[in-house]
Amino acid sequence: MRETKRFDRRQFLGALTWGIGALISAGLGIPAVAYVIGPALQRKEAQDWIRIGSTTKVELGTPTLFKARVTRRAGWIENEEELSAYVRTDNGRDFIAMSNICTHLGCRVRWVSGEQKFFCPCHNGVFDKDGNVLAGPPPRALDRFEIKVEDEQLFILGG
Amino acid sequence: MAARVSEWLDERLGWRKVWEAIFLRKVPKTNWYYTLGSAALFLAVNQIVTGILLTIYYVPTPDHAYDSVQFITGQVPAGWLIRGLHHWGASAMVILVGLHMLRVIVHGSYKYPREVTWFTGVFLLLAVIGFGFTGYLLPWDQKAFWATIVGTRIAAVTPLIGDWILRVMRGGDELSAVTLARFFGVHVWVLPAALLSLILVHLYLVIRIGISALPKRGE
Ligand code: HEM
Ligand code: FES
């Protein structure tokens, strides 16, 4: 009874071929996945204190828009980008800085002093002077920047 | 379970017949040199996979080509590996295709009825060389630039139409953004399409005719 021979030469070589094929595929496949998703996993670069202007420009009680230029790296390209923040103070000593990017889908909000509210032009989102949502689709208040004052100059933490 | 799925699929696709024709066909007594074609095929797959991956970051314009290649090798995880495989694979491919051709010559396998297999092979060789020539420019560094200046000048010594060939290759009188873009287009679209169609015909003929037996002394 020669039938009992379980694993002959032919089967062995077949299995070996599949095995080596699987090894090579994994050897290329795993680096390939890392290669494709790699840049997406990189954490944002360290944040830095950015000088945005003088405290004297902020009127008491009125959110004032400040703009600063920052350089951002995207892939192999360095871009000059504008960073904007609304700064508000009620007493000239304590400041808050709010992002002007709507928390709904990212349009720029605008302070309308007649109404004392922020309005978003895209889907009628409305925020109060502290950035809290009053109406419309935005899911949360305007984002805040950390802010500090040194020698009458305002700095926000960003990058 | 797996057996039932493959049974179900075979009933509809008839894939087993195809599998048998490709992998379970009868072959004459051969030697290791008969594997050179398969080795070239393996490298072709390697070039296709790593080449597609490179296009995810590579940008074929003079202001981005060099930086995007540096980004691949320096910043992207395993980027050095993917680019290295493509780079060395390109040279290995030329060598293997050359050796495969030699084996076909030495065994006299180009003779009747395999002339067409040989002809498709000649065009495969040209395609592989074309890949090497167009790919060499893409990193857009000094070596790439000057090698392509030289390569296009060599083409320009062709009698009568040489100057015209040079202008068509460069897309103008000088090596420029136009040259880089057309080399890229040829490298990732024209040549892969040609290579794949040629390989398909080449392998169809190898399987249809069956590979040649080793020639005997006095034949
Ligand atoms: C991308 C390049 C090429 C690939 C992937 C390729 C692939 C193959 C494969 C897998 C075979 C089966 C038998 C063997 O490996 O020896 C083969 C046979 C053959 N190749 Fe190629 N080949 C290439 C280039 C060439 C070139 C440049 C020539 C010659 C000009 C050529 C001429 C032939 C001939 C005549 C046969 C039939 C040999 C026989 O029946 O014994 N091939 N090729
Ligand atoms: S983006 Fe501001 S409300 Fe939709």
Side-chain angles (χ1 to χ4, degrees):
Chain A
M1 292 290 265
R2 297 176 56 88
E3 279 293 307
T4 48
K5 206 161 137 195
R6 270 286 153 77
F7 206 64
D8 61 14
R9 180 183 137 99
R10 189 186 180 84
Q11 280 173 310
F12 171 73
L13 288 174
L16 192 68
T17 306
W18 281 110
I20 293 174
L23 269 179
I24 293 174
S25 304
L28 186 57
I30 293 166
V33 170
Y35 174 90
V36 171
I37 66 173
L41 300 182
Q42 264 158 27
R43 285 281 116 235
K44 265 196 119 154
E45 288 162 61
Q47 298 207 311
D48 231 337
W49 287 103
I50 300 157
R51 194 176 69 85
I52 55 171
S54 156
T55 51
T56 54
K57 291 212 195 115
V58 191
E59 273 179 60
L60 284 191
T62 307
T64 311
L65 189 62
F66 283 86
K67 289 179 175 166
R69 304 210 63 85
V70 289
T71 45
R72 290 217 172 98
R73 274 193 75 81
W76 56 92
I77 297 176
E78 271 195 353
N79 273 331
E80 279 261 306
E81 273 176 36
E82 201 163 64
L83 191 70
S84 331
Y86 272 106
V87 177
R88 193 171 66 78
T89 181
D90 288 328
N91 52 21
R93 272 173 282 105
D94 305 313
F95 294 84
I96 63 168
M98 289 166 278
S99 163
N100 68 340
I101 295 171
C102 181
T103 53
H104 179 221
L105 294 173
C107 293
R108 306 285 147 148
V109 299
R110 200 161 48 85
W111 174 255
V112 178
S113 42
E115 308 247 0
Q116 292 288 301
K117 284 170 193 149
F118 289 103
F119 287 91
C120 178
C122 290
H123 316 97
N124 301 323
V126 184
F127 304 83
D128 70 10
K129 62 183 168 59
D130 289 314
N132 299 314
V133 183
L134 294 177
R140 62 192 150 80
L142 292 174
D143 291 329
R144 296 281 179 99
F145 289 103
E146 271 190 62
I147 186 165
K148 72 175 182 183
V149 181
E150 266 173 25
D151 301 331
E152 309 286 291
Q153 296 293 321
L154 291 164
F155 291 82
I156 61 173
L157 195 59
Chain B
M1 181 61 196
R4 279 186 51 207
V5 171
S6 75
E7 190 57 48
W8 188 91
L9 276 176
D10 185 50
E11 234 181 303
R12 276 140 258 255
L13 307 179
W15 66 269
R16 250 177 224 154
K17 272 242 154 49
V18 179
W19 179 268
E20 280 164 20
I22 297 176
F23 294 108
L24 305 180
R25 73 200 137 95
K26 294 267 191 286
V27 294
K29 262 235 159 331
T30 57
N31 58 35
W32 279 97
Y33 299 116
Y34 281 74
T35 60
L36 286 166
S38 303
L41 184 63
F42 173 81
L43 275 184
V45 173
N46 173 66
Q47 295 306 94
I48 291 167
V49 172
T50 54
I52 288 173
L53 287 170
L54 288 173
T55 63
I56 290 178
Y57 298 107
Y58 177 76
V59 177
T61 61
D63 49 352
H64 292 306
Y66 179 79
D67 287 338
S68 63
V69 170
Q70 294 307 306
F71 179 71
I72 292 170
T73 25
Q75 311 286 142
V76 182
W80 59 272
L81 178 68
I82 304 296
R83 184 174 171 218
L85 284 171
H86 199 75
H87 178 100
W88 294 107
S91 301
M93 182 109 187
V94 174
I95 293 169
L96 276 176
V97 170
L99 291 176
H100 168 59
M101 193 171 165
L102 272 181
R103 104 107 258 266
V104 170
I105 294 170
V106 168
H107 289 162
S109 315
Y110 50 83
K111 293 179 207 168
Y112 173 85
R114 300 191 176 80
E115 299 96 323
V116 179
T117 319
W118 172 268
F119 292 146
T120 56
V122 170
F123 285 105
L124 278 169
L125 180 66
L126 290 176
V128 169
I129 292 169
F131 268 113
F133 183 61
T134 52
Y136 208 78
L137 178 65
L138 303 183
W140 201 249
D141 51 14
Q142 289 292 325
K143 197 168 67 166
F145 188 88
W146 292 106
T148 306
I149 293 271
V150 171
T152 47
R153 285 246 179 95
I154 291 173
V157 300
T158 314
L160 300 178
I161 54 168
D163 199 50
W164 181 78
I165 295 179
L166 174 133
R167 288 177 51 84
V168 171
M169 279 172 121
R170 291 187 181 175
D173 283 322
E174 308 290 332
L175 213 66
S176 66
V178 180
T179 322
L180 181 56
R182 68 210 294 72
F183 271 48
F184 179 74
V186 169
H187 191 83
V188 306
W189 289 115
V190 180
L191 289 174
L195 191 84
L196 287 178
S197 337
L198 287 167
I199 287 180
L200 217 68
V201 178
H202 199 72
L203 292 187
Y204 165 75
L205 291 175
V206 166
I207 289 163
R208 193 194 118 82
I209 301 172
I211 56 172
S212 58
L214 283 166
K216 290 186 197 67
R217 196 166 287 283
E219 232 175 28

